[in-house]
Amino acid sequence: MILVMGPVDELVTAFFLAHLTATRREYVFVDERHLGTQVHLELDWRPGPPGAGKLTGAVRFPTWSVPLEQVSGIFSRLGTGGIEPPQTPGSLAQRAHAAALLDLFQGPVANRATAMLSNGSKPCQYAAILAAGLRVPDTLAGGAPWHWERFARGLEGDPVIKSVSDERSLVKQVSWEEARAAMRPGHPLPPHQFQQRIPGTNVRAHVVGAREVLACRAESLALDYRHPDMTGHTVRLRAMELPAPVADACRQLSRALGLELTGIDLIEPPGGSNSPADWVCLEVNTCPGFMWFEQHSGLPIARALADHLHPPLSSSC
Amino acid sequence: MPRLVLIGAEQFPHLSDVLHHEARRADAPLTDISVEAWGTSATPWVEVKDGRLRAGLLGAAPSSGAGDDALGPEDVLWCLFEKPFPPTQSPYLDTEHEALRDGFHTCCPARSINRRGLLAPLWTMAVWRLLALRLPVRQEDSVLRAPHFHLGPCPEDGRRWKPWPREAEFSRAEVWWTVPAPGALHLAVVMGSRVTLWPLEAPDGGGVRPPPGLEADLLQLAAACGADVLEVLLVPSTDSGGDAGWTVLQLSALPEELETLLAREHPEARAQVEHFVRSLLQGQEVAR
């Protein structure tokens, strides 16, 4: 069975649970708010050669428990939804145990707590993106005004400015003159990220299990299609097939970051291309909100994820 | 000549002395950034240009020699100690500063000793989990193993279980560990390709080269953790030591015990640091 952990009212958690229920999958759900009160995780790890049985334990509910041996895979949305879980020692301990379970569980986990960290700093992903054969836009993060000026003047057109971290920020296009006017003499420069604006079409590729690649084009005139309402533009998502070499690069990238579910933001060059070197990767979302993409493009992301976490009998024989 | 850049070295004054001495001996430019300066007067930057990563430090002029503030692949960076950057008035900017620092550590083209950043499990994962995931390092040939761990209430099975140190302080996790019949406590210091083993219950005893199987495991463990310099607390399964079997009790990427050995003027410790730094500055030792 699949173990799902997250806040019950978080949209993606609720969407995936609804899919599991509708498709009659076997699952057990842990509401994050109940960790440490009604739900306890007990884990035992014995030294020895790697293999099944090394990690044992159970998810304990008040009147029943589920041995980890019965769990085939884990989907976690812990820490999402903006909830404020209890800060009692018991609750804090159980959330730490849940994070440990995500790292130590020997089956598929979407996603392991430590592997999700890379999205906390966009530059941390750039080396992996380049190694996978995809392009990264020319970028400058941090630096002095003379760095920024040299960088901005070396680009065709004005750069975009965006956050370095995974904090949500509206991507904006700014000229060097505007950036300079916003600087406050005597104050340290805020560490925003300047980036070359890339022409082309936004594409979101969801990679499941570093195997299945489900992609869609986001057709919009907005600079940041994730916030079309804030810019007065509309967005239309259409399912598409990535060229095989580009899909392979996405698989390689997910594997390199140790992730079983990724939302990779790409820009397809005008006119298209089969070469990954022509495709730009902006970032890899390590906790992707795939519901919106599935609902608007029809891509079967939840099904692919459920299949990965608990393979149907026909594919495991 | 490679440039040696140290961050937070003042926290380890004896080690810092050896590093400064070796840089002078090699005539290598040295930049020493204090913990207080890191993130305030010395700030990182990261650039991608035509698919090439560049990174450097603003406000960190070398104390000898001159050069661009970009760090190249021939340079050596060792961030020995750092704290969260001083808070600004905006939580958003605080997050941005930390993200930039992590990006710098990850992308910096310099040879980084114990490279930090969000892709470095050495700095992002609880030590006991790292041990559970990385050991055994050579499968059935390994002599090094992890303790038996338990999460939850302390087991009442007659064995001697102890709380995993530091864990309760950080994550509040209830982590317990036990080992069968531990022998005397030892410290292993891995620096690059060399390992020394120190019996901690005889503090005046010198460091020795470990038995071959243990040495191979310790080198593999350091590599598997992404560490160039690693301190390992371990016990033999029996009092005789040797290659019979050892259990790791703790790992540290901070050279705290090495600093103590240098303070006690152990010549083996100094020789190990000198060999490591000389090899790095001569380009023979490859840091990550």
Side-chain angles (χ1 to χ4, degrees):
Chain A
M1 72 175 72
I2 298 171
L3 170 60
V4 181
M5 297 192 286
V8 69
D9 48 359
E10 191 270 324
L11 289 175
V12 179
T13 308
F15 180 75
F16 189 59
L17 289 174
H19 171 83
L20 295 177
T21 304
T23 54
R24 299 181 177 217
R25 307 266 187 161
E26 203 179 357
Y27 69 89
V28 58
F29 172 63
V30 172
D31 186 348
E32 187 170 354
R33 294 179 185 84
H34 294 162
L35 275 171
T37 54
Q38 296 172 48
V39 186
H40 293 82
L41 297 172
E42 198 162 323
L43 309 176
D44 197 75
W45 187 93
R46 289 167 191 276
K54 197 169 176 181
L55 178 74
T56 56
V59 186
R60 301 200 186 286
F61 297 88
T63 56
W64 60 297
S65 68
V66 178
L68 286 184
E69 291 83 349
Q70 292 181 14
V71 174
S72 55
I74 304 175
F75 177 58
S76 168
R77 294 284 295 179
L78 294 173
T80 64
I83 65 160
E84 291 185 9
Q87 298 299 306
T88 61
S91 176
L92 290 168
Q94 287 300 316
R95 290 209 298 282
H97 294 183
L101 173 62
L102 298 179
D103 274 345
L104 296 178
F105 186 72
Q106 284 148 348
V109 177
N111 279 323
R112 298 188 190 273
T114 312
M116 288 171 65
L117 293 175
S118 72
N119 200 32
S121 169
K122 294 186 180 85
C124 283
Q125 298 182 332
Y126 293 160
I129 293 170
L130 292 168
L134 295 160
R135 259 182 75 197
V136 172
D138 285 356
T139 300
L140 176 66
W146 63 264
H147 264 126
W148 293 14
E149 180 169 14
R150 187 181 67 184
F151 177 80
R153 292 194 189 285
L155 300 177
E156 282 180 27
D158 291 335
V160 294
I161 187 168
K162 57 168 68 167
S163 63
V164 188
S165 70
D166 59 352
E167 290 282 319
R168 269 283 169 114
S169 65
L170 182 63
V171 178
K172 287 182 286 196
Q173 194 160 13
V174 290
S175 68
W176 159 244
E177 287 74 17
E178 286 171 305
R180 185 170 53 187
M183 289 174 190
R184 293 187 298 162
H187 285 76
L189 297 171
H192 289 122
Q193 183 169 228
F194 278 117
Q195 206 160 60
Q196 170 190 23
R197 183 170 184 186
I198 304 291
T201 308
N202 283 290
V203 171
R204 162 62 74 96
H206 287 96
V207 182
V208 181
R211 238 186 3 234
E212 191 145 4
V213 181
L214 300 152
C216 60
R217 282 193 185 91
E219 296 169 352
S220 175
L221 293 174
L223 178 60
D224 188 344
Y225 76 90
R226 301 167 307 169
H227 304 281
D229 47 336
M230 291 174 72
T231 53
H233 295 290
T234 57
V235 61
R236 185 168 183 170
L237 300 178
R238 288 178 189 268
M240 65 172 294
E241 283 281 329
L242 286 180
V246 178
D248 281 344
C250 291
R251 292 184 187 99
Q252 185 184 333
L253 178 55
S254 295
R255 208 174 294 121
L257 293 172
L259 296 161
E260 313 237 10
L261 174 66
T262 53
I264 301 180
D265 288 327
L266 300 165
I267 296 185
E268 178 184 23
S273 168
N274 284 338
S275 170
D278 295 330
W279 287 64
V280 167
C281 177
L282 299 174
E283 69 174 297
V284 181
N285 293 279
T286 60
C287 189
F290 61 84
M291 179 188 78
W292 186 66
F293 294 91
E294 175 156 342
Q295 288 176 329
H296 290 84
S297 69
L299 290 168
I301 303 168
R303 190 185 74 196
L305 180 60
D307 284 351
H308 177 63
L309 298 176
H310 190 185
L313 284 177
S314 56
S315 66
S316 61
C317 291
Chain B
M1 176 58 65
R3 173 178 165 190
L4 178 61
V5 178
L6 305 175
I7 299 173
E10 77 275 14
Q11 303 289 316
F12 308 96
H14 294 88
L15 176 58
S16 177
D17 279 352
V18 182
L19 297 173
H20 276 252
H21 179 263
E22 286 304 311
R24 275 196 305 275
R25 209 186 64 84
D27 206 18
L30 185 140
T31 303
D32 203 346
I33 301 167
S34 70
V35 173
E36 292 306 318
W38 180 221
T40 51
S41 57
T43 57
W45 58 267
V46 175
E47 186 181 59
V48 184
K49 187 78 181 165
D50 298 327
R52 287 187 58 231
L53 288 164
R54 295 178 75 235
L57 299 158
L58 283 175
S63 59
S64 61
D68 186 65
D69 68 347
L71 295 173
E74 71 285 357
D75 295 324
V76 177
L77 169 70
W78 193 354
C79 179
L80 291 103
F81 188 83
E82 65 180 8
K83 294 190 295 191
F85 283 175
T88 65
Q89 290 179 331
S90 152
Y92 171 78
L93 282 180
D94 292 344
T95 307
E96 290 290 284
H97 278 286
E98 296 298 335
L100 177 57
R101 177 167 68 174
D102 282 320
F104 167 79
H105 282 310
T106 303
C107 298
C108 182
R111 293 174 289 159
S112 291
I113 299 170
N114 287 0
R115 186 182 285 277
R116 296 172 183 248
L118 297 179
L119 300 185
L122 192 61
W123 299 104
T124 55
M125 191 179 279
V127 167
W128 71 268
R129 267 189 252 171
L130 202 54
L131 292 178
L133 289 170
R134 298 293 189 268
L135 291 172
V137 283
R138 292 185 301 137
Q139 307 303 326
E140 59 273 3
D141 292 333
S142 278
V143 297
L144 205 55
R145 53 196 278 157
H148 181 172
F149 294 113
H150 184 85
L151 275 75
C154 182
E156 295 178 357
D157 57 3
R159 282 181 288 183
R160 188 173 171 222
W161 290 89
K162 298 178 84 172
W164 184 257
R166 300 190 191 174
E167 190 66 34
E169 187 183 335
F170 291 112
S171 73
R172 305 286 184 92
E174 295 174 291
V175 183
W176 303 89
W177 64 275
T178 188
V179 294
L185 190 61
H186 286 66
L187 166 73
V189 178
V190 182
M191 293 195 86
S193 56
R194 286 198 177 181
V195 186
T196 49
L197 186 65
W198 304 77
L200 288 184
E201 288 164 23
D204 294 329
V208 296
R209 190 172 170 183
L214 179 59
E215 183 179 49
D217 272 9
L218 288 164
L219 289 170
Q220 284 271 340
L221 176 63
C225 294
D228 310 283
V229 176
L230 190 66
E231 295 184 350
V232 185
L233 278 180
L234 67 172
V235 287
S237 300
T238 64
D239 283 330
S240 61
D243 253 357
W246 294 74
T247 305
V248 178
L249 304 184
Q250 193 59 266
L251 295 180
S252 177
L254 298 177
E256 290 167 322
E257 299 296 334
L258 181 62
E259 174 68 13
T260 304
L261 295 172
L262 291 169
R264 288 185 184 148
E265 299 184 344
H266 280 290
E268 300 93 338
R270 186 175 178 105
Q272 192 179 8
V273 178
E274 286 173 348
H275 176 267
F276 177 65
V277 181
R278 281 176 200 174
S279 299
L280 277 171
L281 294 178
Q282 290 167 6
Q284 293 167 1
E285 193 86 56
V286 180
R288 291 169 179 85

